[in-house]
């Protein structure tokens, strides 16, 4: 996949970096310590049009290309991973509407989401249906012009603060999740919808990860996305595209840790000189920088593949997420090492970055699921038949 | 009612500044930004436009071709149009030469208010607003913490050691404002995209009917030396000792300096 960074991309990076350094980075430690959603920063990002980058201009978005969207996420994540999830999830959960919504659904929901007036969440995972998405149990029973939704969802980012959630539910229990699920746009003020609990987490602590309960939630049939039975396909098409955002987030976290470690090493004197003069530290910094750069370039290639609608885009998006997530974990761990004991305490941001990095290896498909997606493409190219999923 | 904000592209405050062999700042070597003090002038102008007091806000800069980037960034914050005066013959201009060029360009643009930051971050001469006003024969309202325009007059509020002055003058005026006008806004993404379509015109010295020899002949200052500040003696650090021990050592040191 070929791509090129334009002057507009560079300008975008400079502008978002300035905003992130001046307004987001100073809040990051507090957001983490208090585990509170940064409403002020959500307003700031909305005001600067940074929540609408994935939305068409016709619906009030700014319709950046994939690389532009990745740059925005990357620069925010470089300052604070929690805050970067605001544009990430806004895109993730809007993708089902963008990909499968009809004109009426788009006109009703996309403008409010592009402006950031409304937040949206993606309700796919369940307590017993994580990587095995098809094991979902939430049901949607047809009732006249409506559906009645029952069940529960778990690990839903922004689930407790969103105005609207995309809920995946079985419309044909016998057919199972793969063939018998459908996607619904559910407004969270609908009776029977609740978010009884949020998780206590290791990282991205300011981002509420909610359990959702659906008890006879009445959703008009006009809020079903696509046809009955298309839920799984919509979910997979969404994740194949949204994973680039997680790769970009991971790159941003890694870059933030690299930059901080470099600055620290240049200042910290041991044995009569800055530790940055020690070759052992230099090797670590060089590895951190070059690995982050490699992950970034793969992420941009994946973003360009999504824009181009490449038939094997999942191969690149999964590769980008796999490489970037592992890079973020390794680089942040090394950043803590460069800071020594100071890296381990909350006075410095790298321990937070290390905790935040871990989630990029887990959500929107674990690293193991990414490998399965990549392998599936490899085998397909080689003409090897796969055993059918159970 | 039209305001033209004069902005200067300067090296970023944090950038490592270098000088060319003829003692001019090497502008190509450092990351450049809009002079931070000019951002307050931009903010003031945009607030007046939003309040309906003025109809249009334009930007004028004199500098190398790359200064177009600063104008584009200003347009991303808001405003309507921009002019860049750029010419090989302008390299090394002093405050006086700069003021002459800006004054000539402003005569052509004829704004009701020519607005500037109180100083530039790199030179810090604070001479240009006054010189432009003098050259154009217009009133100068300097160091405003707020600018207002109403009817045929402009007015600034200027903080003083004991309170504030209100200074008023009939339009057109040249004015400068301080960092008290309010925090400059960030360019929004839509603002950045819109700025790419806003008109920007480039003028050479010849376009303004000026010539380089005359400008340099008129230069009133010359840089004779540029050097880094002298390095401070190494800082003595008291680390990895108990608080009692640290306090004793600090007290001993202060006593040795006869400060306590």
């Amino acid at each position: 996949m070929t791509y090129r960074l334009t002057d507009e991309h560079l300008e975008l990076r400079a502008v978002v970096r300035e905003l992130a350094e001046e307004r987001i980075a100073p809040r990051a430690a507090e957001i983490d310590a208090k585990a509170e959603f940064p409403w002020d920063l959500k307003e700031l990002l909305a005001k600067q049009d940074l929540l609408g980058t994935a939305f068409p201009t016709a619906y009030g978005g700014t319709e950046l290309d994939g690389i532009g969207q990745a740059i925005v996420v990357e620069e925010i994540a470089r300052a604070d991973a929690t805050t970067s999830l605001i544009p990430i999830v806004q895109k993730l959960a809007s993708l089902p509407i963008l990909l499968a919504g009809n004109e009426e659904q788009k006109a009703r929901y996309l403008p409010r989401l592009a402006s950031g007036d409304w937040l949206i969440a993606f309700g796919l995972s369940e307590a017993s249906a994580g990587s095995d998405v098809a094991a979902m149990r939430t049901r949607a029973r047809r009732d006249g012009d409506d559906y009645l939704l029952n069940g529960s969802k778990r690990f839903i980012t922004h689930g407790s603060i969103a105005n609207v959630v995309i809920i995946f539910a079985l419309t044909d229990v016998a057919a199972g999740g793969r063939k018998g699920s459908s996607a619904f746009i559910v407004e969270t003020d609908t009776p029977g919808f609740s978010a009884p609990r949020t998780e206590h987490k290791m990282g991205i602590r300011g981002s509420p990860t909610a359990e959702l309960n659906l008890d006879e939630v009445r959703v008009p049939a006009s809020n079903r996305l696509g046809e009955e039975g298309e839920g799984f396909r919509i979910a997979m098409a969404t994740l194949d595209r949204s994973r680039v955002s997680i790769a970009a987030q991971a790159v941003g976290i890694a870059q933030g840790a690299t930059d901080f470690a470099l600055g620290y090493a240049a200042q910290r004197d041991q044995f009569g000189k800055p530790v940055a003069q020690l070759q052992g530290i230099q090797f670590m910094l060089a590895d951190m920088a070059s690995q982050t750069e490699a992950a970034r370039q793969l992420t941009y290639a994946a973003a360009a593949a999504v824009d181009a609608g490449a038939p094997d885009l999942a191969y690149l998006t999964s590769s980008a997420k796999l490489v970037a997530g592992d890079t973020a974990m390794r680089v942040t761990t090394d950043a803590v090492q460069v800071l020594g004991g100071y890296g381990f305490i909350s006075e410095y941001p790298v321990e937070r970055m290390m905790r935040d990095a871990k989630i990029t290896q887990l959500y929107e498909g674990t690293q193991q699921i990414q490998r399965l997606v990549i392998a599936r493409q490899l085998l397909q190219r080689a003409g090897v038949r796969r055993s059918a999923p159970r | 009612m039209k305001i033209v904000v004069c902005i200067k592209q300067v090296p970023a405050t944090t950038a490592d500044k270098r000088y060319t062999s003829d003692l001019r700042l090497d502008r190509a070597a450092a990351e450049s930004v809009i002079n931070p003090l000019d951002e307050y002038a931009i903010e003031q102008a945009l607030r007046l436009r939003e309040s309906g007091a003025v109809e249009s806000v334009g930007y004028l800069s004199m500098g190398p071709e790359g200064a177009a980037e600063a104008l584009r960034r200003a347009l991303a914050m808001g405003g309507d149009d921009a002019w860049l005066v750029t010419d090989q013959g302008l390299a090394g201009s002093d405050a006086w030469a700069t003021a002459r060029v800006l004054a000539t360009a402003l005569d052509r643009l004829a704004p009701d208010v020519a607005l500037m930051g109180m100083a530039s971050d790199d030179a810090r001469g604070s001479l240009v607003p006054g010189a432009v006003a003098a050259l154009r024969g217009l009133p100068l309202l300097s160091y405003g913490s707020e600018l207002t325009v109403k009817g045929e007059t402009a007015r600034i509020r200027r903080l003083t050691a004991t309170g504030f002055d209100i200074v008023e003058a009939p339009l057109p005026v040249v004015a400068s404002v301080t960092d008290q006008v309010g925090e400059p806004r960030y360019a929004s993404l839509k603002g950045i995209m819109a700025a790419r379509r806003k008109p920007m015109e480039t003028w050479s010295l010849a376009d303004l009917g000026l010539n380089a020899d005359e400008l340099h002949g008129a230069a009133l200052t010359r840089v004779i030396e540029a050097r880094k500040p002298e390095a401070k003696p190494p800082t003595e650090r008291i680390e990895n000792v108990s608080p009692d021990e640290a306090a004793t050592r600090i007290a001993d040191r202060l006593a040795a300096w006869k400060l306590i």
Side-chain angles (χ1 to χ4, degrees), chain A residues 13 17 73-81 84 245-263 284-297 299 320-336 338-339 349-350 352-361:
Chain A
R13 184 188 298 286
R17 177 166 293 197
V73 167
E74 193 186 324
E75 289 302 325
I76 298 172
R78 180 173 169 271
D80 180 40
S84 73
S245 311
I246 303 303
Q249 180 187 42
V251 169
I253 295 170
Q255 190 64 56
T258 303
D259 291 346
F260 192 89
L262 177 62
M284 291 179 78
L285 292 171
D287 283 346
M288 292 160 72
S290 55
Q291 289 167 7
T292 302
E293 192 59 42
R296 174 180 295 116
Q297 300 303 328
T299 300
K321 198 267 191 186
L322 174 64
V323 169
D326 285 358
T327 298
M329 197 67 249
R330 197 165 50 235
V331 165
T332 53
T333 307
D334 281 354
V336 170
V338 169
L339 267 72
V350 290
R352 182 190 80 240
M353 293 170 174
M354 182 176 163
R355 287 185 286 106
D356 285 341
K358 185 63 202 174
I359 191 64
T360 68
Q361 294 182 305

Side-chain angles (χ1 to χ4, degrees), chain A residues 16-152:
Chain A
V16 182
R17 177 166 293 197
E18 182 185 9
L19 184 77
E21 286 183 345
E22 293 179 4
R23 300 288 300 276
I24 299 173
R27 290 271 286 114
E30 188 189 9
I31 291 167
D32 176 63
K34 292 189 173 166
E36 282 177 0
F37 181 74
W39 286 104
D40 55 330
L41 298 182
K42 176 255 179 190
E43 288 306 319
L44 176 70
L45 295 178
K47 187 166 162 230
Q48 300 307 119
D49 308 317
L50 293 172
L51 297 184
T53 61
F55 296 81
T57 51
Y59 299 107
T62 42
E63 205 171 348
L64 294 184
D65 64 356
I67 292 177
Q69 294 175 37
I71 287 172
V72 170
V73 167
E74 193 186 324
E75 289 302 325
I76 298 172
R78 180 173 169 271
D80 180 40
T82 284
T83 305
S84 73
L85 271 170
I86 306 173
I88 289 174
V89 176
Q90 203 73 346
K91 174 184 179 180
L92 160 70
S94 296
L95 271 169
I97 303 177
L98 287 162
L99 293 171
N102 58 36
E103 188 43 51
E104 204 181 329
Q105 292 164 339
K106 288 180 179 176
R108 175 166 166 75
Y109 293 104
L110 295 183
R112 289 180 241 199
L113 296 167
S115 67
D117 287 345
W118 274 22
L119 291 176
I120 185 168
F122 185 73
L124 178 64
S125 296
E126 297 181 8
S128 302
S131 293
D132 186 6
V133 172
M136 73 173 74
R137 288 185 193 158
T138 298
R139 294 184 185 188
R141 185 176 84 242
R142 186 80 191 215
D143 183 46
D145 288 338
D146 302 326
Y147 286 88
L148 287 167
L149 272 57
N150 284 284
S152 61

Side-chain angles (χ1 to χ4, degrees), chain A residues 8 11-12 14-15 18-19 22-23 44 47-50 53 60-64 267-269, chain B residues 31 33 39 69 72-73 76 183-193 195-196 237 239-240:
Chain A
E8 283 81 9
E11 183 187 17
L12 180 67
V15 168
E18 182 185 9
L19 184 77
E22 293 179 4
R23 300 288 300 276
L44 176 70
K47 187 166 162 230
Q48 300 307 119
D49 308 317
L50 293 172
T53 61
T62 42
E63 205 171 348
L64 294 184
Q267 299 285 332
R268 168 74 170 169
D269 283 347
Chain B
E31 184 201 342
V33 297
E39 289 190 346
E69 203 182 304
R72 200 60 78 188
R73 188 63 67 84
E183 274 306 298
R185 66 198 60 197
Y186 293 96
S188 73
L189 191 46
K190 284 182 186 170
I192 292 166
M193 296 166 110
R196 291 176 193 145
R237 294 187 188 209
E239 286 179 310
N240 304 326

Side-chain angles (χ1 to χ4, degrees), chain A residues 183-343:
Chain A
F184 298 90
I185 307 170
V186 180
E187 297 187 17
T188 56
D189 58 2
T190 312
F193 182 98
S194 61
R197 204 175 67 82
T198 55
E199 311 289 349
H200 297 278
K201 304 191 298 296
M202 173 183 183
I204 52 161
R205 288 170 43 79
S207 182
T209 304
E211 188 175 313
L212 304 181
N213 214 25
L214 298 117
D215 180 15
E216 292 283 282
V217 175
R218 185 171 288 277
V219 178
S222 59
N223 273 24
R224 189 190 67 224
L225 289 163
E227 297 301 320
E228 275 196 10
E230 289 188 339
F232 187 79
R233 188 188 61 78
I234 292 169
M236 292 305 117
T238 293
L239 292 172
D240 281 347
R241 288 159 179 78
S242 66
R243 276 194 289 268
V244 181
S245 311
I246 303 303
Q249 180 187 42
V251 169
I253 295 170
Q255 190 64 56
T258 303
D259 291 346
F260 192 89
L262 177 62
Y264 180 89
Q267 299 285 332
R268 168 74 170 169
D269 283 347
Q270 289 287 275
F271 308 109
K273 58 185 173 185
V275 297
Q277 301 295 337
L278 303 172
Q279 212 173 44
I281 297 291
Q282 290 175 3
F283 286 178
M284 291 179 78
L285 292 171
D287 283 346
M288 292 160 72
S290 55
Q291 289 167 7
T292 302
E293 192 59 42
R296 174 180 295 116
Q297 300 303 328
L298 187 52
T299 300
Y300 293 169
V306 172
D307 282 352
D312 63 343
L313 64 92
Y315 170 75
L316 277 170
T317 59
S318 279
S319 297
K321 198 267 191 186
L322 174 64
V323 169
D326 285 358
T327 298
M329 197 67 249
R330 197 165 50 235
V331 165
T332 53
T333 307
D334 281 354
V336 170
Q337 197 68 25
V338 169
L339 267 72
Y342 287 106

Side-chain angles (χ1 to χ4, degrees), chain B residues 59-192:
Chain B
Y59 304 103
L60 170 66
S61 186
M62 178 189 118
E65 280 176 23
E69 203 182 304
L71 287 169
R72 200 60 78 188
R73 188 63 67 84
L75 287 168
M77 292 170 74
D80 304 284
D81 39 19
W83 294 268
L84 173 64
V85 183
T86 187
D87 197 298
Q88 289 296 335
L90 284 169
S93 296
D94 67 350
W96 176 245
T98 304
R100 285 197 55 189
V101 173
L102 292 179
T104 308
L106 286 167
D107 281 341
R108 188 167 294 199
L109 297 171
D112 298 282
V113 181
L115 187 61
M116 308 185 192
M118 58 175 271
S120 66
D121 209 34
D122 53 353
R124 292 198 174 268
S126 287
L127 297 169
V128 172
V132 168
L135 284 165
R136 299 185 67 210
L138 295 179
L140 172 69
L141 300 175
S142 61
Y143 299 105
S145 59
E146 188 188 15
L147 168 73
T148 49
V149 286
K150 198 173 178 187
E152 293 300 305
T153 54
R155 174 189 279 196
I156 58 151
R157 182 185 167 97
R158 182 193 291 148
L159 295 175
T160 68
T162 51
F164 57 86
D165 296 336
I166 299 286
V167 189
E168 196 178 85
L171 296 170
V173 300
V174 175
S176 72
V177 290
T178 70
D179 60 2
Q180 298 298 305
V181 299
E183 274 306 298
R185 66 198 60 197
Y186 293 96
S188 73
L189 191 46
K190 284 182 186 170
I192 292 166

Side-chain angles (χ1 to χ4, degrees), chain B residues 11-82:
Chain B
T13 316
T14 51
D16 186 22
K17 296 172 188 68
R18 288 179 201 158
Y19 291 86
T20 59
S21 55
D22 54 348
L23 298 178
R24 292 195 319 232
L25 194 60
D26 185 355
R27 293 183 187 277
E31 184 201 342
S32 296
V33 297
I34 298 175
N35 170 35
L37 289 164
D38 292 346
E39 289 190 346
Y40 294 98
I42 296 170
E43 181 62 30
Q44 176 66 82
L46 293 176
R47 286 184 187 192
L48 288 170
R49 190 176 188 275
E50 281 156 3
S51 73
V54 306
E55 283 82 41
S56 101
V57 171
Y59 304 103
L60 170 66
S61 186
M62 178 189 118
E65 280 176 23
E69 203 182 304
L71 287 169
R72 200 60 78 188
R73 188 63 67 84
L75 287 168
M77 292 170 74
D80 304 284
D81 39 19

